[in-house]
């Protein structure tokens, strides 16, 4: 996976299993040596303004922090890839060119594109083969903060760096500064890697029909059965990972990044006194992050790109951002100095997930990090003001569905289940156009968060643990269901197609926690090519 970094120790190549963007490095590549000499080829993410965009997927290397350089898969030479910005109402054309050794795709996370543009191999399109291109076209008529990433073998390809921000701008919204911060995690601790190597054995198992899990996955995070890269060019051959071995060992992730950089390499956010500032947080990783913005009164103005009604001002509260979620924050730059934005927690990697708000003319940093301090989190079920919602809890619904989330074991190792089944054997939610749909999400898994993501639609959060939402109506596309929690959500079936509904800890999705929303009155003209190596998760 992108979380795997190889470092040479004696005669063996060690694995560095990274949480969200790493891969493997051969000792002969000399990316990092004992003297600390380094070279990196990846660029800083650029901003590309639509409506016509070209994304070229290719290999690169990236310096995450001082002394840590890893190979990555990039869009246009950077990981994250370019930040795409387009004006609301414009039709966007994004041409994906694949110069990688494996097939890929692009999914527009959170954005309700037409079904054939959703980028799901084997469901809406064939994965884009090496050397081939595909153009995504849709009207960007919903302002907000979204992101894009590969949905082909996504547990591995997102980990390698194939993702970026997608911003739809509303000309009516005026800000002096507008910054995007993409959050991610990596593993680099050699002692922990040694422990993992002790637990590993060579050899792959062939996936049986209907089985779920990560069997057949190489230690570099790619199933080479679908790769056209020759072994002479592949520095990662020789070690394979048995199914699901490290799915939930989240303590492995010891280096956290913002926009692909950690610690002092994170670019400061420059402001002037009097500026109206917008910060867009996107979690592209597999861990939730508790973000604290120092020194300012803030408002959380959107969640998953959808506005919060009359958000109140808060200070010294954290925003818990789960995998796949986005939160936009606004504040007035009225407190000159240098102020931290930081993740709160005690994990080793937490210290690297820091950025500085840097006021023009400020010379010294008077602020101090306080990441180990426990601060209350904003509860978004009672944040903002009431307004007329699209749905209410006890109205009549055309379709109801209970999604019991859990974990288990099969012959391939750990699996993650919906109603006791793992994908592709889960029961889909069957709807027809115009249906009002209510889904109950219940997490029976006592160990793991499950950030559930619905493609093609926004849903309204109706209740949490039986208590109705009491603040602003809450519209999202990704919702973190913690152990023991129950949520009820509702959506209107207004975007015909076949849509994924899955956990966005992509290890869990890869190991079975996926179902679909299928429109019974929708007929797709897409027929998967049996020769294509389509892997939607």
């Amino acid at each position: 996976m992108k979380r795997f970094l190889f470092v040479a120790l004696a005669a063996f190549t060690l694995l560095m299993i990274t949480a969200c963007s790493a891969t493997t490095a051969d000792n002969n590549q000399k990316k990092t040596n004992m003297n600390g000499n380094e070279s990196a080829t990846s660029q800083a993410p650029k901003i590309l303004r639509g409506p016509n965009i070209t994304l070229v997927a290719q290999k690169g290397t990236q310096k995450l922090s001082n002394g840590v350089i890893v190979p990555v898969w990039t869009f246009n030479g950077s990981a994250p890839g370019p930040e795409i910005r387009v004006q609301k109402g414009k039709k966007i054309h994004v041409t994906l060119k694949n110069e990688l050794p494996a097939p890929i795709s692009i999914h527009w996370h959170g954005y309700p594109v037409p079904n054939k543009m959703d980028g799901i191999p084997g469901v809406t399109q064939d994965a884009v083969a090496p050397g081939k291109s595909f153009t995504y076209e849709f009207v960007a008529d919903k302002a907000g903060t979204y992101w894009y990433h590969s949905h082909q073998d996504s547990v591995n390809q997102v980990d390698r760096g194939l993702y970026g921000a997608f911003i739809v701008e509303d000309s009516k919204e005026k800000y002096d500064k507008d910054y995007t911060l993409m959050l991610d995690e990596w593993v680099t601790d050699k002692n922990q890697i040694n422990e993992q190597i002790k637990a590993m054995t060579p050899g792959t198992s062939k996936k049986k029909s209907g089985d779920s899990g990560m069997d057949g996955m190489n230690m570099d995070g790619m199933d080479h059965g679908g790769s056209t890269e020759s072994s002479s060019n592949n520095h990662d051959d020789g070690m394979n990972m048995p199914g699901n071995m490290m799915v939930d060992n989240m303590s492995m992730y010891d280096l956290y990044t913002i926009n692909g950089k950690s610690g002092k390499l994170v670019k400061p956010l420059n402001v002037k006194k009097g500026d109206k500032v917008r910060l867009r947080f996107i979690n592209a990783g597999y861990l939730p992050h508790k973000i604290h913005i120092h020194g300012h009164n803030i408002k959380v103005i959107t969640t998953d790109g959808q506005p919060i009604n009359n958000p109140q001002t808060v200070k010294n509260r954290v925003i818990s951002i789960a995998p796949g979620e986005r939160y936009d924050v606004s504040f007035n730059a009225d407190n000159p100095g240098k102020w931290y934005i930081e993740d709160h927690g005690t994990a080793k990697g937490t210290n690297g997930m820091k950025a500085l708000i840097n006021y023009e003319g400020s010379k010294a940093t008077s602020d101090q990090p306080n990441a180990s301090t426990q601060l209350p989190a904003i509860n978004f079920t009672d944040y903002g003001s009431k307004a007329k919602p699209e749905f209410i809890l006890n109205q009549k619904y055309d379709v109801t569905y209970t999604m019991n989330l859990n974990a288990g074991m099969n012959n391939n190792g750990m699996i993650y289940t919906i109603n006791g089944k793992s994908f592709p054997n889960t029961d889909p939610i069957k709807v027809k156009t115009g249906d009002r749909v209510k889904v109950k999400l219940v997490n029976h898994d006592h160990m793991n968060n499950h950030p559930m993501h619905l493609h093609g639609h926004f849903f309204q959060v109706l209740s949490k643990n039986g208590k109705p939402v009491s603040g602003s109506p809450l519209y999202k596309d990704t919702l973190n269901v913690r152990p023991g929690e129950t949520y009820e959500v509702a959506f209107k079936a207004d975007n015909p197609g076949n849509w994924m509904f899955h956990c966005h800890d992509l290890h869990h999705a890869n190991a079975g926690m996926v179902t679909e929303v299928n429109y019974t009155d929708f007929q797709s003209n897409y027929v998967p090519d049996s020769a294509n190596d389509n892997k939607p998760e």
Side-chain angles (χ1 to χ4, degrees):
M1 279 166 255
K2 71 178 175 193
R3 308 177 207 270
F4 294 146
L5 169 63
F6 283 359
V7 177
L9 283 182
F12 295 96
T13 302
L14 289 182
L15 285 155
M16 290 200 165
I17 304 161
T18 59
C20 231
S21 294
T23 45
T24 55
D26 184 88
N27 187 47
N28 294 329
Q29 291 177 299
K30 306 297 183 185
K31 302 305 179 188
T32 304
N33 63 27
M34 298 301 290
N35 297 319
N37 296 323
E38 302 166 343
S39 64
T41 62
S42 68
Q43 310 166 7
K46 296 180 179 179
I47 294 178
L48 299 180
R49 296 200 173 267
N52 298 309
I53 301 291
T54 297
L55 293 177
V56 180
Q58 54 198 181
K59 290 184 175 182
T61 58
Q62 180 134 319
K63 183 176 181 178
L64 302 179
S65 66
N66 290 327
V68 180
I69 294 180
V70 297
V72 290
W73 283 8
T74 72
F75 288 120
N76 294 13
S78 66
E83 178 176 319
I84 298 174
R85 284 186 175 251
V86 62
Q87 284 292 316
K88 180 182 177 182
K90 297 291 186 180
K91 186 171 184 179
I92 187 169
H93 306 260
V94 181
T95 298
L96 170 63
K97 295 183 177 181
N98 185 7
E99 296 181 0
L100 289 167
I104 62 173
S105 75
I106 290 179
H107 165 61
W108 305 93
H109 184 111
Y111 201 85
V113 296
N115 190 238
K116 64 181 180 179
M117 295 289 110
D118 199 37
I120 312 303
V123 178
T124 66
Q125 70 170 94
D126 286 329
V128 182
K132 301 296 184 180
S133 299
F134 184 88
T135 298
Y136 296 89
E137 299 179 342
F138 56 92
V139 176
D141 56 0
K142 292 177 174 59
T145 300
Y146 309 96
W147 60 301
Y148 63 92
H149 61 80
S150 180
H151 222 289
Q152 163 74 5
D153 192 24
S154 54
V155 65
N156 301 310
Q157 294 192 4
V158 175
D159 280 354
R160 284 178 173 260
L162 289 181
Y163 64 85
F166 175 56
I167 311 299
V168 181
E169 298 176 326
D170 188 338
S171 59
K172 296 178 182 179
E173 298 176 339
K174 303 294 184 182
Y175 290 88
D176 300 298
K177 297 291 190 303
D178 187 335
Y179 291 108
T180 301
L181 298 91
M182 297 199 79
L183 314 178
D184 204 348
E185 315 95 22
W186 310 66
V187 173
T188 63
D189 185 88
K190 295 178 182 180
N191 293 326
Q192 294 188 54
I193 292 164
N194 278 323
E195 291 302 312
Q196 291 299 318
I197 287 180
K198 289 177 185 178
M200 294 178 186
T201 57
T204 59
S205 57
K206 299 297 182 183
K207 182 174 287 188
K208 301 174 184 177
S209 177
D211 280 351
S212 296
M214 301 195 305
D215 49 304
M217 182 186 300
N218 277 101
M219 292 303 290
D220 66 354
M222 289 302 299
D223 182 339
H224 289 284
S227 174
T228 59
E229 185 175 39
S230 67
S231 60
S232 61
N233 293 325
N234 184 355
H235 301 292
D236 309 330
D237 293 338
M239 298 189 72
N240 300 322
M241 183 175 73
N244 296 355
M245 183 157 291
M246 290 156 294
V247 169
D248 287 312
N249 190 0
M250 296 300 184
S251 65
M252 290 294 293
Y253 309 147
D254 61 354
L255 189 150
Y256 299 174
T257 58
I258 297 175
N259 296 336
K261 301 295 181 182
S262 188
K264 293 182 179 180
L265 296 188
V266 179
K267 287 187 176 181
L269 311 179
N270 295 317
V271 302
K272 294 186 294 186
K273 185 177 180 181
D275 278 349
K276 185 179 180 181
V277 182
R278 181 174 191 155
L279 305 178
R280 303 174 187 263
F281 293 95
I282 302 171
N283 190 346
Y286 293 169
L287 294 170
H289 295 286
K290 297 178 179 179
I291 298 299
H292 176 210
I293 299 169
H294 289 216
H296 295 83
N297 296 307
I298 66 167
K299 292 181 179 181
V300 182
I301 56 174
T302 77
T303 173
D304 292 353
Q306 309 314 298
I308 294 173
N309 184 55
N310 194 26
Q312 61 261 44
T313 299
V314 298
K315 189 174 184 178
N316 291 328
R317 304 274 292 275
V318 296
I319 307 165
S320 184
I321 309 176
E325 285 189 318
R326 292 91 61 210
Y327 288 93
D328 287 19
V329 171
S330 72
F331 66 89
N332 293 319
D334 57 5
N335 193 10
K338 295 179 183 290
W339 300 98
Y340 282 102
I341 298 171
E342 64 175 348
D343 188 19
H344 270 229
T346 57
K348 181 179 179 181
T350 305
N351 290 331
M353 190 171 275
K354 286 181 172 62
L356 272 179
I357 300 171
N358 179 48
Y359 277 75
E360 185 177 280
S362 296
K363 302 298 183 185
T365 304
S366 56
D367 186 28
Q368 295 296 319
N370 63 349
S372 62
T373 302
Q374 292 189 5
L375 295 177
I378 299 172
N379 177 6
F380 288 99
T381 63
D382 68 359
Y383 182 72
S385 300
K386 290 184 177 181
K388 185 178 179 179
E390 183 176 1
F391 300 102
I392 59 175
L393 185 61
N394 296 318
Q395 72 179 71
K396 181 181 178 181
Y397 288 90
D398 303 294
V399 177
T400 59
Y401 185 101
T402 297
M403 194 178 290
N404 293 296
L405 311 174
N406 215 331
M409 298 288 290
N410 71 2
N411 292 335
N412 296 308
M414 250 181 123
I415 59 171
Y416 293 88
T417 62
I418 296 175
N419 297 333
K421 299 178 180 180
S422 59
F423 190 76
N425 296 323
T426 49
D427 298 317
I429 305 172
K430 293 185 177 181
V431 305
K432 63 180 183 298
T433 304
D435 278 351
R436 293 163 295 182
V437 185
K438 183 168 73 170
V439 178
K440 179 183 282 189
L441 300 157
V442 187
N443 189 356
H444 298 282
D445 181 350
H446 298 299
M447 299 298 293
N448 299 294
N449 294 326
H450 293 301
M452 300 303 294
H453 170 52
L454 173 61
H455 289 209
H457 304 76
F458 302 112
F459 53 73
Q460 181 187 331
V461 181
L462 302 174
S463 70
K464 177 182 180 181
N465 298 331
K467 183 179 179 181
V469 170
S470 58
S472 168
L474 191 59
Y475 300 99
K476 296 176 62 60
D477 56 71
T478 308
L479 178 65
N480 194 29
V481 188
R482 296 177 177 86
E485 288 185 338
T486 297
Y487 282 91
E488 291 174 284
V489 304
F491 66 93
K492 187 174 181 179
D494 58 2
N495 194 6
N498 296 313
W499 303 98
M500 308 292 277
F501 198 159
H502 66 95
C503 182
H504 221 274
D505 180 330
L506 296 177
H507 289 296
H508 298 173
N510 178 257
M513 192 168 278
V514 180
T515 190
E516 293 185 29
V517 174
N518 292 339
Y519 281 67
T520 58
D521 56 349
F522 171 76
Q523 184 63 48
S524 173
N525 58 9
Y526 163 63
V527 178
D529 184 347
S530 60
N532 244 54
D533 189 23
N534 290 317
K535 296 180 180 178
E537 288 296 346

